[in-house]
Each structure stands twice: as C-alpha cells, then as structure tokens.
Amino acid sequence: MPRSVNHVASRARRKKILKLTRGYFGCRKNVWTVAKNTWEKGLTYAYRDRKDKKRNFRALWIQRINAAAREENLSYSKLMGLIHKSGIAINRKVLADLALNNPAAFKAIVDKVKNENRNK
C-alpha cells in the first residue's frame, strides 16, 4: 500500500510561514527552511526587544528628569530622594513629561520638595 501524506495540511503550514516572511531579503523569503529559521529567530528578537523597549524608555525619562533637575541646581538622584522623602507619588514617566512639556509644573514640584525638606 502506498504511503499516505497529507499534502494539503503541510502545504498550508508552509504557505503560512512563507506569507509571514514576505519582504525578507534573498532566500529568506522563499526557501522553506531558511524562511522558517528566520521567522523563528525574528520572534525571539521581538520578545527580547519588547523588554529592551521598556529599559530604553526608562533611561530616556531619567535623562530628561536629570537635565531639568540640573537647571534647578539639583542632581537626578537628589531630586528623586527628596520626592520620595516628601511622599509625592509620581512616576518617572509623568515627571519626564512635565519636565519636557510643562517646565512650570516641574519647577513647582521641585520648589515644593525643596521647601518641605528645608522645614524638616
């Protein structure tokens, strides 16, 4: 008896991967094994870079806060220490946004924090 192979399912599986690799360079788009390996590696890069994206944005926020704090004669670490001591619950993302788009509000926060810690 001849061997029975489900060509429909295997062809569909291959076509699905080849469709996902459309636009890749050279053999990566049309040779099954190369395309499959490239696609799988791309998934691992995507997973890794979703984590890196968060890390990069946090670093950017810290740089922006530091630049704005230096204009107020404070370092980033001293400013964050004073904010935590004062009990102000504001995260770095919002603080960086204020520093960039609303310097008056950022200055008000810095002044409030400085004054609270002078009085203590």
Side-chain angles (χ1 to χ4, degrees):
M1 177 178 264
R3 188 167 74 105
S4 176
V5 180
N6 189 354
H7 278 296
V8 177
S10 56
R11 171 61 58 194
R13 192 167 50 247
R14 289 188 190 105
K15 275 179 70 174
K16 184 173 75 175
I17 300 295
L18 290 174
K19 186 178 178 187
L20 291 170
T21 58
R22 210 180 76 216
Y24 285 12
F25 183 80
C27 293
R28 290 169 175 248
K29 68 174 167 273
N30 56 8
V31 176
W32 161 246
T33 52
V34 179
K36 186 170 80 78
N37 291 338
T38 303
W39 174 73
E40 285 174 349
K41 187 136 190 179
L43 290 179
T44 62
Y45 285 144
Y47 177 81
R48 180 198 69 190
D49 291 341
R50 281 194 298 274
K51 311 297 176 211
D52 281 352
K53 184 179 176 183
K54 295 167 182 60
R55 189 181 313 153
N56 291 337
F57 268 107
R58 185 180 171 96
L60 176 67
W61 299 331
I62 289 171
Q63 289 169 6
R64 287 179 175 172
I65 295 167
N66 191 24
R70 298 276 176 183
E71 290 178 0
E72 303 296 329
N73 298 322
L74 278 174
S75 68
Y76 167 79
S77 60
K78 286 183 182 168
L79 174 66
M80 293 310 286
L82 292 173
I83 286 175
H84 290 300
K85 237 187 241 181
S86 299
I88 297 174
I90 187 167
N91 63 16
R92 286 164 181 80
K93 180 180 178 180
V94 173
L95 205 55
D97 187 54
L98 287 176
L100 189 66
N101 298 320
N102 196 347
F106 183 82
K107 184 172 173 38
I109 290 172
V110 172
D111 291 340
K112 182 177 181 354
V113 165
K114 279 183 179 177
N115 290 334
E116 277 187 17
N117 286 295
R118 272 194 202 128
N119 296 335
K120 286 184 178 178

